Amino acid sequence: APGPPALEEPEQEPLLLPWDRFSSWLHCICVVGFDLELGQAVEKTSICYLSFPDSNSGCLGDTQFCFRFRQAAGSKSSLGCFLDHFDRDAPVCLKRDQGYYYGYVYFRQVRDKTLKRGYFQKSLVLISKLPYVTFFHSLLKLIAPEYFEKQEPFLEAACNDIDRWPTPCPGKILTLPIMGVVMKVTVFFFFPFFARCHDSLVSIVLPTVHEVDLFRCFHPVFFHIQMLWELVLLSEALVVMAPSPAESSDTVLALVSCISPLRYCSDFRPYFTIHDSEFKEYTTRTQAPPSVILGVTNPFFAKTLQHWPHIIRIGDMKQAGEMAKQMKVKKLKNLKTLDSKPGVYTAYKPFLNKDEDIIKQLQKGVQQKRPSAAQNAILRRYFLELTQSFIIPLERYVASLMPLQKSISPWKSPPQLRPFNQEEFMKTLEKAGPQLTSRLKGDWIGLYRQFLRSPNFDGWFRNRRKEMMQKLEALHLEALCEEDLQLRIQKHTEVETVDLVLKLKEKLVSTALILWAIKK
């Protein structure tokens, strides 16, 4: 039966084939069971190993976590062009990953004397390009328990429901019916929303589709949050050693999101196992560790990754109401096993002086039993303001690389952007640096120099340069449209006129192709 009407009338979507709408949300759904002879069983991919906790994790009951893996070379995503328009309008934290898939896991392990192994062990896994961790975990909470009871017919019905969903659209409130329940979400960054429930169906409102609880994730090491922000900003090689895949994946996702709205442009694996195809690449000692954040639970990694420069050891995550103990940064040589005490093991010296105010504010919140959501909001705003203070001088300088509008001539090629000059940028920091918006003192210059050599800067600048080139093309086309062609032709020879018309035709054809590609 059709679901209740949407809160906002959706735009008319183009005619789609069966399963196209499903493919705009999910690539596929995997069911991973444990076979006594084969081990985890599903196709010939690392998905089977990533879908089960390591045996040492001891995850009884239901566990949820996520992983991320590379898209095979030459393979095509089932999403096709449906999300191109969405990617163009979405904030960086919600854009799909071009070369990677996310796996969202609901794992169940319960005692069952009727089975030889003595336990029922199975995972339901959603594979998607979309980084909507909160949304997909909420979806799994609805369908996975029912699937374990009712098996394939229920899963098939759920897939049919998903294929009736509208495609993701930034800023719009989406009503998504799934097996008698309505999920209401807005795929946007800053604005949570609330909606009335329909009388006939249970309604779940999600204020965010992608954000994890930062305070809960950083609580075990929150005395070092500013240093961790620097390590992520600079794309440093970082390992999170945790007791379970849930804590591992949440912490890695929290680290990646702490530099938002800047996009983390290096690789990150919320849950990484010894069976991963990149295991040898990431654990070799013959070269420096790559710029990647790994989340691991297997004790084997304590020895294998001992040469990595920065290691975070997470114990069992405490409730937000408990006080975390003050911990000093530990030397790497003290990390011998996964049973080592929780803490940050590194020789890194932060560029910026420690911000004691945010630590005191969070500690006061714990003492006063401030709600976890409020603590999370405080920490998220702190990271946001810190990142914005850092990125604003870069944005200001890059904007100055744009040619003046008066230099754009309709009968000449669009002018080029000036190249990024590191020393020229550094000179601007004296009067227009982060000190204008941040109270933090320290070696900001050194932090910028290190950042300009990182993959995060490279990814950010490539994106900004692309946007500015598109802006120049648009301004050039606008100048062409406003030109008086008849007057222009009268002032030129026939050869010059033909040349101008050919250039105009070329410009219009290239613009039409771009618009056609966007529409498709």
Side-chain angles (χ1 to χ4, degrees):
L7 298 177
E8 218 175 272
E9 193 65 32
E11 294 178 8
Q12 189 65 35
E13 289 187 309
L15 292 174
L16 300 178
L17 297 172
W19 302 111
D20 275 352
R21 287 189 175 88
F22 176 93
S23 295
S24 70
W25 290 92
L26 294 170
H27 178 69
C28 65
I29 297 179
C30 301
V31 176
V32 186
F34 195 93
D35 187 288
L36 273 176
E37 296 178 359
L38 300 176
Q40 291 99 312
V42 66
E43 297 188 11
K44 295 180 179 179
T45 69
S46 60
I47 291 176
C48 56
Y49 298 107
L50 290 167
S51 301
F52 269 43
D54 286 313
S55 57
N56 65 288
S57 297
C59 298
L60 275 175
D62 293 353
T63 304
Q64 287 189 260
F65 58 94
C66 81
F67 58 84
R68 185 172 178 264
F69 63 100
R70 283 180 188 165
Q71 180 176 332
S75 66
K76 292 184 178 180
S77 167
S78 61
L79 293 172
C81 59
F82 296 115
L83 294 181
D84 288 341
H85 175 73
F86 171 81
D87 269 358
R88 195 173 66 254
D89 298 332
V92 292
C93 59
L94 293 180
K95 292 181 187 293
R96 57 181 163 150
D97 274 328
Q98 293 295 340
Y100 293 86
Y101 286 108
Y102 287 87
Y104 301 98
V105 182
Y106 193 105
F107 169 72
R108 173 169 288 185
Q109 178 172 257
V110 292
R111 294 184 183 277
D112 189 337
K113 294 180 180 179
T114 63
L115 300 175
K116 288 184 179 180
R117 190 175 174 82
Y119 287 93
F120 170 88
Q121 294 172 307
K122 187 171 281 191
S123 287
L124 185 64
V125 188
L126 308 181
I127 305 296
S128 176
K129 283 274 186 177
L130 302 172
Y132 301 170
V133 57
T134 305
F135 170 75
F136 284 118
H137 280 336
S138 300
L139 177 61
L140 277 169
K141 281 181 182 177
L142 290 174
I143 65 175
E146 291 285 335
Y147 162 71
F148 291 137
E149 296 295 327
K150 301 174 183 175
Q151 299 300 311
E152 274 71 19
F154 177 85
L155 198 57
E156 185 178 346
C159 290
N160 282 314
D161 275 353
I162 294 172
D163 193 45
R164 289 195 288 269
W165 289 359
T167 54
C169 185
K172 287 197 175 293
I173 296 173
L174 302 180
T175 299
L176 311 174
I178 181 76
M179 304 309 294
V181 177
V182 175
M183 301 180 72
K184 295 171 185 171
V185 299
T186 180
V187 186
F188 215 67
F189 185 37
F190 289 115
F191 305 103
F193 72 96
F194 302 91
R196 292 181 180 176
C197 301
H198 291 274
D199 294 335
S200 59
L201 295 171
V202 178
S203 183
I204 297 174
V205 179
L206 295 181
T208 176
V209 295
H210 68 289
E211 294 177 348
V212 295
D213 188 333
L214 286 183
F215 182 68
R216 183 180 64 85
C217 295
F218 285 130
H219 189 258
V221 289
F222 83 75
F223 289 101
H224 309 300
I225 53 174
Q226 191 178 313
M227 180 179 68
L228 296 177
W229 175 84
E230 283 191 23
L231 292 174
V232 177
L233 180 75
L234 301 177
S235 305
E236 288 285 328
L238 193 59
V239 183
V240 175
M241 295 184 174
S244 74
E247 289 160 323
S248 162
S249 60
D250 281 355
T251 304
V252 170
L253 292 172
L255 287 166
V256 169
S257 72
C258 78
I259 62 169
S260 183
L262 191 66
R263 183 168 192 165
Y264 183 76
C265 296
S266 293
D267 193 6
F268 61 95
R269 304 301 175 91
Y271 177 51
F272 189 76
T273 75
I274 59 175
H275 303 287
D276 203 288
S277 56
E278 282 80 44
F279 175 75
K280 288 184 179 179
E281 175 187 343
Y282 288 163
T283 57
T284 180
R285 291 174 181 263
T286 59
Q287 59 190 34
S291 293
V292 61
I293 301 177
L294 298 182
V296 302
T297 62
N298 194 318
F300 180 71
F301 282 108
K303 182 178 180 180
T304 310
L305 300 178
Q306 205 168 17
H307 63 293
W308 277 47
H310 319 291
I311 298 175
I312 303 173
R313 171 72 177 94
I314 299 290
D316 292 327
M317 287 186 179
K318 298 180 179 180
Q319 294 298 318
E322 297 182 34
M323 285 291 289
K325 295 179 181 178
Q326 172 74 54
M327 294 183 297
K328 292 182 179 180
V329 175
K330 298 175 173 63
K331 295 180 180 178
L332 281 167
K333 65 181 182 181
N334 294 335
L335 183 69
K336 296 178 181 178
T337 69
L338 199 62
D339 295 326
S340 298
K341 292 182 179 179
V344 180
Y345 295 77
T346 180
Y348 178 81
K349 293 183 179 179
F351 287 94
L352 305 182
N353 300 338
K354 193 170 185 178
D355 189 342
E356 298 290 350
D357 290 345
I358 184 64
I359 301 298
K360 291 177 182 178
Q361 190 177 5
L362 292 172
Q363 282 183 308
K364 185 178 180 181
V366 173
Q367 293 167 349
Q368 296 179 344
K369 301 188 183 305
R370 185 185 292 147
S372 179
Q375 293 281 77
N376 178 55
I378 290 170
L379 188 54
R380 189 167 291 281
R381 176 164 290 279
Y382 168 76
F383 281 132
L384 175 64
E385 291 176 351
L386 185 56
T387 304
Q388 286 179 329
S389 292
F390 181 83
I391 212 71
I392 284 172
L394 278 162
E395 291 278 6
R396 189 182 293 118
Y397 172 73
V398 168
S400 73
L401 303 179
M402 274 282 280
L404 296 175
Q405 189 162 350
K406 64 181 181 181
S407 67
I408 299 175
S409 168
W411 304 111
K412 294 180 181 178
S413 297
Q416 296 296 305
L417 297 172
R418 289 197 300 115
F420 189 101
N421 185 302
Q422 180 172 325
E423 293 309 316
E424 186 180 59
F425 165 68
M426 291 298 175
K427 289 177 182 177
T428 68
L429 296 177
E430 185 178 347
K431 293 183 178 179
Q435 70 274 9
L436 297 180
T437 52
S438 175
R439 65 180 183 276
L440 284 182
K441 306 295 183 183
D443 184 10
W444 284 99
I445 299 293
L447 185 61
Y448 277 110
R449 287 193 186 279
Q450 193 75 9
F451 176 73
L452 294 180
R453 295 195 291 267
S454 74
N456 282 337
F457 169 73
D458 184 61
W460 173 81
F461 184 64
R462 283 173 183 269
N463 186 55
R464 291 293 289 115
R465 182 178 176 80
K466 180 181 176 182
E467 291 173 353
M468 292 162 70
M469 292 296 291
Q470 289 173 343
K471 178 68 174 176
L472 276 175
E473 288 288 341
L475 289 172
H476 186 242
L477 184 62
E478 186 179 324
L480 269 173
C481 293
E482 293 176 353
E483 185 72 8
D484 188 334
L485 294 179
Q486 288 187 337
L487 181 64
R488 187 81 184 181
I489 289 170
Q490 291 172 8
K491 295 180 179 179
H492 289 78
T493 65
E494 185 177 351
V495 174
E496 288 176 324
T497 300
V498 171
D499 185 53
L500 292 175
V501 171
L502 289 175
K503 284 183 178 179
L504 179 59
K505 180 182 178 182
E506 182 183 350
K507 185 73 178 178
L508 292 174
V509 168
S510 64
T511 304
L513 287 172
I514 292 171
L515 292 173
W516 178 81
I518 291 172
K519 186 177 180 181
K520 289 292 286 183

